[in-house]
């Protein structure tokens, strides 16, 4: 089965095709091949979201993964974030979940909020 | 009396006050909200700062860098304070402010920088058909409710407009558990970044309906369903192509407009192309001492360029206050020519010393390759080849003083092809 995807490595945006033997077509350069293979074998994404906080000014504080996590774990991590409740003060970079799902990647706060 | 008052404490206002700073001057930053940072605080996604900081930051992180950069400078800040009006009387600006502590008060300033950001077009601005139930709102408002207030506005969502804000919200609402049934775009192409099409729509199997618009809305109290139809090349709906979706929420991502309504009494010249002030290369409006920058001047897609532009506006405002003698301006116009939607600044003040200045512009067409040309009168004075030009992406040209050959008006055009 062939799979189609758009390469996002550069603005050309080639419409790639990759088959079950990982043969990539329609890529204008080598980077497209690398991209397509990674998208099939080990697609990863940065995840940004928010968690609860008891600040006077806002109900949520923003968080992110420190690196790209496996794409299929996005919803699982969203669920884990539902259970997090922080208290002010928080500082940019504070770790919310360490080594999330054993990926070696942390979830950190992306804004500082005073008490 | 203040020397410089900056109105609006987002990315633009922070950069402006940073570069307007001088220990001999009295400066004031006014912000309507309880904290600084502006729209960036709700843009929790990644993708900011690649040009300015050479690393990829989330919106709140970019805002925090800006706030940190001015932390040690001594200027006044008024938070939770709204500017209701600005007037200029015999060379002095009178700024009417409102806050809970002072009620209404008037402060005075020698120069003012407008950095009030932009607002989203609403339903009224695009004339949607059908009933007017609850559940229809601009995508940015939904973003704020969700990311700051923690409130998901709906469970079954459709999005009109495929700009980046709409795409980002499609993913965000999906991740939070809402069902996103689709995104409709009246143009045959999306104005969003390819990365956002892939990572916000394809990743979650959210369909994108290009050349489609909304042709019916159902629901009395609350939204019940919307119908979309394909449009022809004249953007007219084609009968028989209707698709109906049962939804409780319709998010509109149909454009941003510089937010300068509150400055009507100043009567500065406004461009019908940008909906912001007409400025010279110092970002000075038609009113001497009044500067504008950021989304309040023209809508930017990259915050990095907001910062760059606003740093310049701040520096020029400082120079303006520090200069001793009154100045005369001699302005030549910079007009958009073929295949260019707008150019900013709209004027070049040739009495000013400058080595070079950056022109920001948008093309009216997408092209893989093309050339931007600047003509002065009939003479071609500057050309720049460009790749991957798109109307949604701002282009920049550097114009050198030494390029100028006369005092004739300038015209910037775009030529598709090699
Ligand atoms: C949803 C969204 C997504 C974006 N995504 C990206 C991205 O991925 N990458 C990127 O580089 N850029 C992105 N941008 C663009 C970029 O973030 C903005 O262009 C930039 O932050 C605008 O800064 P600003 O200071 O001009 O406006 P704002 O941040 O809007 O600041 C204006 C400030 O003025 C205040 N104000 C307004 N009126 C008054 C008044 N009367 N009195 C007092 N204060 C007032 C407001 O409260 C606000 O704080 C995005 C923008 C949006 C809206
Ligand atoms: S394949 Fe190469 S040329 Fe095509 S989009 Fe990817 S990086 Fe760009």
């Amino acid at each position: 089965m062939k799979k189609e995807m758009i390469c996002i490595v550069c603005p050309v945006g080639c419409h790639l095709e990759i088959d079950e033997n990982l043969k990539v077509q329609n890529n204008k350069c080598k980077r497209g091949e690398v991209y397509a293979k990674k998208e099939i074998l080990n697609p990863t994404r940065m995840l940004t979201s928010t968690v609860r906080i008891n600040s006077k000014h806002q109900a949520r504080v923003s968080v992110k993964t420190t690196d790209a996590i496996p794409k299929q774990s996005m919803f699982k991590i969203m669920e884990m974030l539902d259970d997090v409740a922080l208290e002010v003060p928080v500082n940019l970079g504070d770790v919310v979940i360490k080594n999330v799902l054993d990926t070696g990647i942390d979830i950190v706060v992306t804004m500082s909020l005073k008490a | 009396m203040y020397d410089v008052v900056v109105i609006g404490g987002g990315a633009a206002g922070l950069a402006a006050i940073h570069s307007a700073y001088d220990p001999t001057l009295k400066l004031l930053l006014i912000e309507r909200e309880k904290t600084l940072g502006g729209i960036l605080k709700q843009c929790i996604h990644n993708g900011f700062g690649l040009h300015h900081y050479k690393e990829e930051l989330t919106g709140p992180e970019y805002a925090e860098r800006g706030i940190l950069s001015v932390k040690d400078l001594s200027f006044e800040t008024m938070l939770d304070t709204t500017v209701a009006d600005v007037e200029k009387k015999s060379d002095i600006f009178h700024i009417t402010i409102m806050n809970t502590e002072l009620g209404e008060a008037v402060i005075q300033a020698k120069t003012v920088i407008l950095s009030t950001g932009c607002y989203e077009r609403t339903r009224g601005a695009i004339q949607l058909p059908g009933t007017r139930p609850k559940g229809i709102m601009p995508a940015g408002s939904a973003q704020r409710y969700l990311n700051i207030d923690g409130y998901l506005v709906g469970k079954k969502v459709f999005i009109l407009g495929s700009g980046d804000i709409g795409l980002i919200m499609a993913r965000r609402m999906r991740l939070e558990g809402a069902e996103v049934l689709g995104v409709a775009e009246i143009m045959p192409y999306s104005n969003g970044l390819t990365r956002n099409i892939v990572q916000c729509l394809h990743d979650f199997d959210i369909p994108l309906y290009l050349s489609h618009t909304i042709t019916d809305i159902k629901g009395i109290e609350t939204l019940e369903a919307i119908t979309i139809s394909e449009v022809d090349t004249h953007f007219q709906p084609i009968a028989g192509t209707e698709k109906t979706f049962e939804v409780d929420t319709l998010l509109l991502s149909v454009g941003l407009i510089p937010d300068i309504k509150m400055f009507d009494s100043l009567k500065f010249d406004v461009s019908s192309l940008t909906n912001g002030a007409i400025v010279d290369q110092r970002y000075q409006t038609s009113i001497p001492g009044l500067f504008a920058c950021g989304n309040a001047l023209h809508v930017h897609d990259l915050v990095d360029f907001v910062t760059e532009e606003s740093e310049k506006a701040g520096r020029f405002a400082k120079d303006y206050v520090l200069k001793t003698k009154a100045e005369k301006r001699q302005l030549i116009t910079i007009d958009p020519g073929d295949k260019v939607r707008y150019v900013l600044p709209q004027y070049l003040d040739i009495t000013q010393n400058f080595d070079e200045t950056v022109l920001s512009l948008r093309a009216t067409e997408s092209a893989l390759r093309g050339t931007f040309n600047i003509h002065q009168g009939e003479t071609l004075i500057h050309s720049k080849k460009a790749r991957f030009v798109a109307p949604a992406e701002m282009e920049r040209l550097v114009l050198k003083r030494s390029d100028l050959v006369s005092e004739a008006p300038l015209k910037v055009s775009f030529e598709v092809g090699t």
Side-chain angles (χ1 to χ4, degrees), chain B residues 255-292:
Chain B
L256 303 167
I257 301 174
D259 195 0
I260 49 172
K261 297 183 294 289
M262 58 292 222
F263 307 119
D264 278 351
S265 8
L266 278 171
K267 297 197 171 55
F268 51 84
D269 295 341
V270 172
S271 158
S272 60
L273 300 174
T274 58
N275 294 305
I278 292 180
V279 294
D280 63 19
Q281 78 271 28
R282 295 189 293 167
Y283 301 102
Q284 185 171 225
T285 66
S286 57
I287 297 185
L290 180 70
F291 297 79

Side-chain angles (χ1 to χ4, degrees), chain B residues 296-311:
Chain B
L297 179 58
H298 58 139
V299 173
H300 292 251
D301 31 60
L302 285 182
V303 66
D304 307 65
F305 297 145
V306 168
T307 300
E308 187 190 299
E309 171 182 290
S310 308
E311 277 175 350

Side-chain angles (χ1 to χ4, degrees), chain A residues 7-14 16 27-33:
Chain A
C7 178
I8 59 168
V9 177
C10 93
V12 176
C14 294
L16 311 177
N27 54 313
K28 286 207 173 73
C29 80
K30 183 83 186 153
R31 287 180 298 167
E33 189 180 329

